[in-house]
DNA sequence: TATGAATGAGCATTCATTCAT
DNA sequence: CATGAATGAATGCTCATTCAT
């Protein structure tokens, strides 16, 4: 039976297990990660893992939650600044933050992100998508002329997903045909040009 | 010892195994697909599976290869027509073909595509990306004014990947916030607007 | 290190553990009863259980002993009265007492009795058998004509065992084909008729 | 997935597993018998056990069934002869057969019988009880004067259960206070005297 | 060539017991 | 005394792979 960590030591152990989970999944993939590997990596006995987590799946869930929390925290902190940037730069800024996040921690988050994508796409990308949608809305608030854009929900969905997947895929590619700088610049231009063209097409006549 | 199928019967068995693989993975996911399931679904004994494939992984590889072949065949057949369409319509046409392919065969290809993404992304998306890059080039040939576009390789890479992942993710989402029609239209507009804006920005003065 | 409880509080804890043992075994069976369950039910920590009992088996032993003590106490209190009853009524009285004992305490003793039978039949049934044998002897003392009965030890053994097992089995059967009243009456008649017939067969001629 | 044994070799393996089950349970008890022990004793790999049995419980079920089948077969063969014997001798005959059965096979059936009693008393004793009830009825058919006996169902139930449990308990007792011969003779007398006394009490007057 | 019985390493999970606090 | 976190051996069970037929 998994108990709630109430003491300081317990909290540290839970953290160690989650970190071990990231390490193992990054090294061997989700499918090949066993409870024993996680426990060993965390420096504890197998039984102890079950003191804190109901089962293996619960460890993966906690990992997902942790990753989402970190991304969300990072984006929330940056949100106000982002709103004030021109659209292209805003996109670039977000992608740079996101890229740094995935590259950090020995690329473990990146490797886990790839694994998580097809396991549980709703919980994983879901909250992040939601926050990004909010950021888009805030950005529009600061740039009233963008309210003229058509089909904002659909295009937000497309740009957000395209951005997330492109970044994850690019960083995972050992031999990417373009640099990360080119990728972020390209995605930024993509959004920027789209917006510019829409504003042009919907411009009030004379 | 896996042998190359040299006879007609062998070829049929190999096909049956690959099809069974698609069925099993679609029904239960990669992780829960066992050699026994595949063999039973294919209507053969477990031992026979190993006559044609070195191990389970080889079956998955063959499935990947088969899927790629089909997509490539489909796109190659459509390539000439695509080249002649305006850019937005070209994108939409490709995405429609791709969507139909993933939806067909009882959505088995779609389900397998999601699973395959994080297993082996280089072999899976690689050849398709390559072909799409060629199609982009052919399209530019037919639309010489597009040669003025900057950073064509980078932007091709971005649009192609964004397109593939957006479509797979959207079709896999049981509750997508936008319709498939909206998705394809949005992606088409995205490319169309980008190109229009680029042409505008790079227009020779006067 | 299990210590002998020398203080009042210790005695109460030991009792709590034994009672918790009965509750757990009754609820889940011996095989599914864990030290954690017992400790939790007793309202103490797992570690504390080992302050009073060497290991899990020691708890079961104490439970056995406790149960035997209670049965023995109950029978000893009733022994004088039983001796004065006619044989059939004596049997019925004993069986009624025994039945009430097993039914009481939420049937916990009954459930534990069934479990205990095959674990440790010597310690469990032994002392009770011994006491019942004594009661038989006392009864014979009060009914001198019964001294004429042949093979008293063997028949005591048979009747006592038959009685105990029949009662435990009957009460454990969720769908018994006869009522408990019928069972006790039948066992009483069995003994009564046996004795009557023996007296008849061994009657002095003339 | 447990498969039905269709071939000769398979049948032999199933038998080996069941026999191994008897050996292990006799040696270590039900609770301490593991699938690995059974497989090793049967001279096969663990996995093979699961080719023929769904899980461990299925092995125990098969053991129960096997034991019941043998007892039932034995009793059915003896039933006609038993019907013709006087009641006391009939009882003794049955008990002798039963005792021999339990003693045979290295006392393994005896040891398993004790274990089985409290695990699954309905399936285990049930069919045997049913058959014994039939034998009682047949015996009465051959001895019409016994139809005068009162409460035949109740008394059959009592004598049958008393007999089974007394025998199992006696044979399991390493230090029984009476011999098996004394036990069977006592049980036979018990029934014989009961019947005689009943006939006496219910005799038509004058 | 085809088969499927046999294998056993490996997995997730449990639980009696210990020991530092 | 009391605790409960930590332990790891042990369990039931699965499944990729082999090999005798």
């Amino acid at each position: 039976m998994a108990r709630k960590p109430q003491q300081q030591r317990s909290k540290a152990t839970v953290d160690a297990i989650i970190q071990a989970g990231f390490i193992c999944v990054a090294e061997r993939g989700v499918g090949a990660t066993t409870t024993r590997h996680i426990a060993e990596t965390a420096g504890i006995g197998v039984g102890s893992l079950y003191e804190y987590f109901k089962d293996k799946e619960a460890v993966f869930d906690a990992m997902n939650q942790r990753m989402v929390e970190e991304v969300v925290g990072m984006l929330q902190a940056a949100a106000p600044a982002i709103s004030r940037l021109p659209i292209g730069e805003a996109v670039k800024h977000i992608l740079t933050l996101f890229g740094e996040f995935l590259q950090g921690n020995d690329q473990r988050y990146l490797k886990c992100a790839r694994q998580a994508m097809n396991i549980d796409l709703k919980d994983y990308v879901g909250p992040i998508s939601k926050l990004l949608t909010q950021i888009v809305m805030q950005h529009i608030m600061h740039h009233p002329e963008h309210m003229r854009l058509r089909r904002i929900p659909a295009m937000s969905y497309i740009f957000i997903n395209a951005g997330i997947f492109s970044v994850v895929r690019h960083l995972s590619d050992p031999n990417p045909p373009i640099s990360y700088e080119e990728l972020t610049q390209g995605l930024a231009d993509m959004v920027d040009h789209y917006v510019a063209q829409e504003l042009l097409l919907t411009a009030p006549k004379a």
Side-chain angles (χ1 to χ4, degrees), chain A:
Chain A
M1 301 304 160
R3 338 180 148 275
K4 278 275 159 277
Q6 288 147 336
Q7 308 186 1
Q8 191 179 349
R9 191 140 89 104
S10 299
K11 185 68 171 60
T13 305
V14 166
D15 276 353
I17 293 169
I18 292 176
Q19 273 309 313
F22 281 122
I23 293 171
C24 288
V25 171
E27 278 176 358
R28 343 158 78 93
V30 179
T33 292
T34 71
T35 50
R36 277 226 247 276
H37 290 146
I38 296 176
E40 265 170 35
T41 305
I44 60 171
V46 226
S48 302
L49 190 150
Y50 286 89
E51 288 277 332
Y52 299 104
F53 295 92
K54 187 181 155 289
D55 54 17
K56 198 171 71 158
E57 208 53 37
V59 179
F60 289 150
D61 286 348
M63 286 163 60
N64 253 335
Q65 198 183 326
R66 170 72 50 100
M67 214 162 82
V68 168
E69 277 169 6
E70 292 213 17
V71 175
V72 165
M74 183 191 72
L75 288 178
Q76 266 171 339
I82 290 168
S83 293
R84 279 178 237 108
L85 294 174
I87 184 85
E89 287 177 39
V91 169
K92 241 193 137 175
H93 189 206
I94 291 173
L95 293 175
T96 302
L97 284 175
F98 195 45
E100 280 166 2
F101 171 78
L102 291 173
Q103 296 274 31
N105 195 9
D106 262 334
Q107 289 208 321
R108 276 170 207 144
Y109 287 152
L110 170 61
K111 282 167 185 155
C112 295
R114 282 196 55 216
Q115 302 277 337
M117 276 189 179
N118 53 351
I119 301 290
D120 207 331
L121 89 163
K122 73 172 176 312
D123 286 335
Y124 169 53
V125 185
I128 296 174
S129 282
K130 200 166 293 178
L131 176 57
L132 286 170
T133 305
Q134 285 175 21
I135 290 177
V136 167
M137 292 311 162
Q138 286 170 18
H139 192 272
I140 292 174
M141 296 299 189
H142 282 76
H143 302 258
E145 71 277 19
H146 289 173
M147 287 185 188
R148 224 165 64 222
L149 297 171
R150 296 166 298 176
R151 287 171 296 137
I152 287 178
M155 295 314 292
S156 296
Y157 175 85
I158 290 172
F159 286 131
I160 287 170
N161 280 290
I164 292 175
F165 284 83
S166 292
V167 166
V168 172
R169 170 152 162 67
H170 181 274
L171 293 177
S172 302
D173 194 337
N175 258 319
I178 66 175
S179 70
Y180 191 65
E181 162 65 20
E182 286 176 303
L183 178 76
T184 54
Q185 186 60 53
L187 287 165
D189 285 355
M190 179 179 87
V191 176
D192 178 82
H193 285 29
Y194 174 80
V195 169
Q197 186 67 16
E198 271 290 293
L199 293 180
L200 201 67
L201 292 176
T202 59
K205 291 170 186 173

